[in-house]
Every structure is written in structure tokens, then in C-alpha cells.
Amino acid sequence: MSTNQRGCLYLVGLVIFAFFGCFLFPFIVLPAWGTAVTLPVITVPAEYYIEGWAGFLSPIQAIFPDFQLVNTLGGALLANIIVLLIAFFAWRASKGWTKEVPGRFQGVVELIGSMWWGLTRDQAGTKPKVKYILFPLVASIFLFLLAGNLGKLLPGVETVGVLHCADYDPVVLNGFPVSELGSFTGQPYFVLKNDAALNTGTPASDESYHRCEAMMGIDAYESYLPTQLDPFRDQKVTYLTEEGDTLEEVAEYFNTVRIPDLLTAELDDGSEYVDVEYEGYAPVEISPESIIEANTADDGTVNLVAAGADAHEAAEDHSEEAAEEVVEEAAEGEETAEVEEAVAEEAAAEEAEHELEDVVAIGPTTELEAGQEIVIREALVGAEATTFTNQLFTVAPFVRGVATDLSFTIGLALLAFVAIQAFGISELGLNYFQKFINVHALGSVAKHPLGAIDFVVGLFEIISEIGKIISLSFRLFGALFAGSVLFVVIMFLVGTTVPVVILALELIVGTAQAAVFAILTMLFCAQAMVSHVHEEDHVEAHV
């Protein structure tokens, strides 16, 4: 097989793979199953599981009234578990670090440790404070961030979580109804119901949010509960027309046959998941006008076909004949060609408009073409829904990458900032602050006029030192949050296959950002332990 033949074979394989992975599965199969990929809620603040504490932990609520248990804490817990498991299995594999000939796993762990010790030693020396404080700090930061960044690539992370009602304040969120898949330990679990690819959901409103919260059992919104139950259980209602059907007859059939049959059948008088009882059944009334509205597209086109559709062609033929007659009359009157054409077009348009109005106008008594599926009522979703599963929901993941929370990255940057100052003061004492307010250079300005520049530069160092908090925190947050957003957007657009490439990029970015944060912390601490007073000044002071 030649190189070109092999290349063509690979190309065909890629096309087939792309067809199944990027088109057939995400755009045909998943929507048919009602599980098309949805666009998740993208928020900078972490989402909460429980708003405050309950039970024996309720005193925490009194002390911290605004406290919320958020999912980035789950990400931090996952990172800690991963690091502890690695440490445990490394200790076990090395037999308490007594095994002199390491195996593969022990060798990898020792390689990482020796690499970070080598970097720390080269930049900060081998002093006890470096060996026993700085090195463990830097290595711990790297391992924790690496576990947190790569842990969010595990299946279920940032995808499986708690159902929340789609909120409308301060930002309107889009939500989806849900389908129950089964139960786990007695608790039902659901998936967002979506039967259309690239569907962004339904925007929430205050009514839909409050009704959803009421259906979730929140007593504060009990007044929003439906007082009457829809016999169709919020489902879309359609009808297959037969010969001679009119909208008037179809509406009468539903009002006198279908709805009474549903009302006499056994229906749950309340929510399946919340202890709610309704007062009665909704007096559903189907009318020809409501059917026309349900079958009217956004552009105003009515998707109903009358039985006399053949009359359309007759009307068009009649319009053409009328146009020819106008042209002949214009020719007899010796009109110009431009006038003839304009008159003919106008006459044809007017005649066609009058004829088609008589034929295609759909009214209550218009006979419909047999065999067409017409919509009697669209599905009720959100504020109009009377069932639990047709409310508007979003998902707050149980675990979200810890570095995608700006409060965490700022907190870690503050920890690094405090460590930098601590190492500087422990090594240089009060002279460390000469880096910012260089009184020594200011005192020697008469002998060394350039000392005034050193003093001014020191003032700028204050801004630079505070800027380390911003640079460290936003660099880590921006890279990891952008990766999460990119992944969910690509997943939404193509569904399968292509997002694997984004996961590979996340693997690289997550490792690189963990290393960058740890290295910068180490370098800043090493620089803080270096005196900013010139050596000759020290000699002069001793003399």
C-alpha cells in the first residue's frame, strides 16, 4: 500500500469517526433519547449545595448567617483526598521510606520530590528554614494545585450535582425540565430533559422560580403552588387529522371526550416528590383559536393545511390569465412595455391575493387535510407547569475545580504573600523593610545623589509587592476558569469527540499553572531573603 493510499484510508476513517462522534451521536441519537447536551450555568461565584447549616450544626448559621456550603469546597476536599492517597500509597510502596531500591510508583514520587528540592535549593540555598519550611510549603502548594486542577477532569466532576430551580435574580438563568432515571438509596435522581441539539433552555422568571421553589417544598413560596391539576400533566398534546375534520370538531372532541376521560381516570392529586394536595382539576378548554395559536410559527405562518389545497394552483393559474388579459388590453391601448409589465404585475398580485384569501384562510369550520399532525397544546414548562418535573432546573455540581473559585486563588495568593514577608523578615530583620522605604539610601543622598532614585524605586516596590497577590490569584483563576468554560462550550456545540482535545489541553494547563504558582512563590521568597542594602554601605558602616 502506497503512502497516498494509506493517507486516503486514514482520511476516510477520520471522516467516518467525525460523522458518528460529531454529528450522528450528539445531534441525532442524544436528542432522540431526550438527553441532548445542555449548556450548563457558567458562574464565577461557586454554587451552593445547602444555604446555611441545619440540625446540630445550626449554631454556625447564627454565627455566620451568610455562610453557604459551596461546591468548590468539594473540589478542595477532592484535592486533599487525592494528595493523601498518593502519600499513603507511596509510604506503603516504600515500606515506610525504608526501601532502598524503589519501584515505579515510589520512583515517580521521589523524582517529583527531588525535582522540587533541587529547584528550591538552587534558588534559596540549603538553610534550615529553606529545607524544613520553604521546600515543604512549595511542594505542598504544587501537589495540592496539581490534584485540584487534574481532579476536575475526573468523570462526574462539574457534571453531577444538586438540582436547583433556575433563578432570575440578579441574572436570568436558563433552565430545563427533568426526567427521572431511577433512585439511589431511596432518593430519586434525574437528568435535564432536552430533545433538541444546541438548545440553550428556557429563561427563568420570578413566577417560574417561585413555583419551582414551592414544588421543591420551600414553605415561603407555598402561595405559588398550582391549586388545580392539569389532566394532560403538562405534556404536549397533538392530534392526527382525519378526512373532513374541522378545528371546531377537533376542539369539541377534546372538550367532550378526551378531557373527561382523563379526569375520570386515576391521577395523582398532588406532587410526586413534595407533600402537596391540589384543590381540583384545571377546567381545560380547547378552542379553534387556541389550536391556531399553537400551530402558528414565530414568523406568523400557520402550520395548518386546508383540504382544498388544490385550489391554490387554480388561483395561481387564474392570476396568470388575469395578467395576460391586462397585458393584451394595454397593448391595444399602445402602452409602453414598462407600463404593460407594471400593470400586469399589479393586477396579478391583486387577483392572486383575493383568490388565495378565500382558499387558504383557516377558520373554525375549514376542513383540514387528512393525515397531518396538528398541535392542540404545547407542553407547559416553568411558570405554567403544574408538575414537578416540568419546572425549570439547573444543576449545581457536587464538585467544582477549586481553582475556578476566585476566593480560593486570592486566599492562596494571600498565603504566599504572608510567607514571602515572613521569610524576608526572618532573614533580614527590620532591614527587610528597606526594600520598600529605603531610609539608608535617603540618608546618604548627600554623598550618593542617586540614592534618591533608590528611595523612589522602593516606594514603587510597595505597589509591586501588593501586585503579587493580584498576579498570582488572577493568573491561576483565569487559566482554570477559562478552560472550564471552553470545555462546556465545545461540549455544547459538538457534544462528543472534540472535547477530548480540550481535556488534553486542560491536562497541560492544569499542570503548568500548578508549577508556575509554586515556582513564583519559591522565587519571591528567595528574593525576599536577599538584602537590598549595597555591600559597600555595609563595609562603610563597619568602618
Side-chain angles (χ1 to χ4, degrees):
M1 182 181 292
S2 67
T3 303
N4 286 338
Q5 291 175 330
R6 189 181 300 108
C8 290
L9 185 62
Y10 291 160
L11 178 60
V12 171
L14 286 174
V15 171
I16 295 175
F17 182 74
F19 172 76
F20 281 95
C22 298
F23 174 73
L24 184 65
F25 196 70
F27 288 94
I28 305 297
V29 177
L30 288 179
W33 292 346
T35 56
V37 178
T38 61
L39 185 64
V41 175
I42 300 173
T43 63
V44 173
E47 300 105 315
Y48 65 86
Y49 313 131
I50 303 171
E51 197 166 4
W53 295 92
F56 69 94
L57 295 175
S58 57
I60 298 179
Q61 179 75 32
I63 301 174
F64 304 104
D66 297 328
F67 178 80
Q68 293 178 340
L69 188 61
V70 295
N71 52 9
T72 48
L73 288 177
L77 178 61
L78 176 64
N80 280 307
I81 291 174
I82 293 174
V83 172
L84 291 175
L85 286 176
I86 292 174
F88 171 75
F89 285 112
W91 178 84
R92 184 177 179 181
S94 64
K95 297 180 179 179
W97 302 110
T98 60
K99 188 177 180 181
E100 295 183 359
V101 181
R104 292 181 179 177
F105 182 63
Q106 179 185 348
V108 171
V109 174
E110 290 183 357
L111 176 63
I112 295 175
S114 62
M115 178 190 70
W116 281 102
W117 167 240
L119 288 173
T120 308
R121 179 191 58 206
D122 293 343
Q123 297 298 324
T126 58
K127 299 176 182 179
K129 69 180 70 174
V130 174
K131 185 176 181 180
Y132 298 112
I133 300 177
L134 181 58
F135 164 63
L137 174 65
V138 170
S140 298
I141 289 176
F142 171 74
L143 291 176
F144 179 79
L145 287 178
L146 182 65
N149 294 347
L150 302 189
K152 73 188 191 74
L153 304 181
L154 295 175
V157 175
E158 299 188 351
T159 56
V160 179
V162 180
L163 279 181
H164 279 274
C165 297
D167 207 342
Y168 69 97
D169 184 40
V171 178
V172 175
L173 301 179
N174 287 7
F176 293 86
V178 294
S179 297
E180 183 181 0
L181 290 185
S183 62
F184 180 73
T185 65
Q187 296 296 320
Y189 58 90
F190 305 85
V191 294
L192 296 179
K193 183 168 60 178
N194 181 17
D195 57 3
L198 304 182
N199 178 19
T200 58
T202 303
S205 63
D206 55 347
E207 292 86 0
S208 69
Y209 174 74
H210 292 148
R211 171 161 289 194
C212 178
E213 289 284 273
M215 298 292 279
M216 293 283 281
I218 307 300
D219 294 337
Y221 301 113
E222 187 175 356
S223 60
Y224 287 88
L225 283 171
T227 57
Q228 296 173 312
L229 189 64
D230 173 22
F232 292 112
R233 304 294 284 165
D234 298 341
Q235 300 303 308
K236 181 179 181 179
V237 183
T238 60
Y239 174 78
L240 188 65
T241 59
E242 298 178 357
E243 186 176 354
D245 278 342
T246 65
L247 295 182
E248 195 173 63
E249 294 171 347
V250 172
E252 183 180 0
Y253 164 72
F254 273 88
N255 291 328
T256 60
V257 179
R258 285 288 304 277
I259 293 175
D261 286 347
L262 290 173
L263 294 179
T264 56
E266 287 189 10
L267 289 177
D268 295 330
D269 188 16
S271 170
E272 187 175 353
Y273 305 100
V274 183
D275 186 15
V276 176
E277 292 185 0
Y278 304 114
E279 296 177 358
Y281 294 109
V284 176
E285 184 72 27
I286 304 297
S287 65
E289 291 73 22
S290 67
I291 298 177
I292 293 175
E293 183 179 355
N295 290 272
T296 302
D298 294 337
D299 59 358
T301 303
V302 179
N303 300 319
L304 296 172
V305 181
D310 294 339
H312 288 265
E313 298 180 3
E316 292 175 355
D317 295 340
H318 185 74
S319 299
E320 293 177 0
E321 293 176 0
E324 292 177 357
E325 292 177 359
V326 171
V327 171
E328 291 177 358
E329 293 175 358
E332 292 177 359
E334 297 183 354
E335 298 283 352
T336 63
E338 291 79 4
V339 174
E340 291 176 3
E341 184 177 356
V343 172
E345 289 179 354
E346 183 178 357
E350 290 178 357
E351 189 69 22
E353 183 178 352
H354 290 304
E355 294 289 344
L356 288 175
E357 280 180 357
D358 295 337
V359 175
V360 303
I362 301 294
T365 59
T366 304
E367 292 189 1
L368 302 176
E369 184 179 277
Q372 59 177 315
E373 186 178 53
I374 63 175
V375 178
I376 302 301
R377 192 197 69 182
E378 293 286 358
L380 302 183
V381 178
E384 298 179 347
T386 62
T387 63
F388 175 85
T389 53
N390 265 29
Q391 306 303 317
L392 294 177
F393 293 99
T394 60
V395 175
F398 288 125
V399 178
R400 172 175 158 181
V402 63
T404 63
D405 189 344
L406 185 57
S407 60
F408 165 78
T409 59
I410 291 177
L412 191 61
L414 287 172
L415 173 64
F417 178 80
V418 171
I420 294 168
Q421 313 313 312
F423 277 103
I425 295 172
S426 66
E427 182 69 19
L428 304 176
L430 294 178
N431 275 331
Y432 170 71
F433 295 103
Q434 298 265 14
K435 173 183 178 180
F436 309 112
I437 303 177
N438 199 336
V439 294
H440 183 85
L442 190 62
S444 61
V445 69
K447 187 175 181 180
H448 301 288
L450 293 179
I453 298 178
D454 291 338
F455 177 78
V456 174
V457 169
L459 298 179
F460 283 108
E461 281 289 336
I462 299 175
I463 301 175
S464 175
E465 198 73 9
I466 297 175
K468 291 175 182 176
I469 302 174
I470 299 175
S471 63
L472 286 173
S473 60
F474 277 85
R475 180 188 295 108
L476 179 61
F477 165 76
L480 273 298
F481 185 77
S484 297
V485 173
L486 177 63
F487 177 76
V488 299
V489 169
I490 295 297
M491 189 75 178
F492 174 72
L493 294 176
V494 289
T496 56
T497 307
V498 177
V500 175
V501 179
I502 308 301
L503 290 179
L505 292 176
E506 280 289 277
L507 183 68
I508 298 172
V509 171
T511 304
Q513 289 301 320
V516 166
F517 196 102
I519 289 174
L520 288 177
T521 301
M522 177 190 63
L523 291 175
F524 291 152
C525 290
Q527 292 173 359
M529 291 187 286
V530 177
S531 175
H532 286 260
V533 179
H534 295 297
E535 191 67 27
E536 60 270 16
D537 294 334
H538 281 295
V539 175
E540 181 182 340
H542 285 295
V543 173

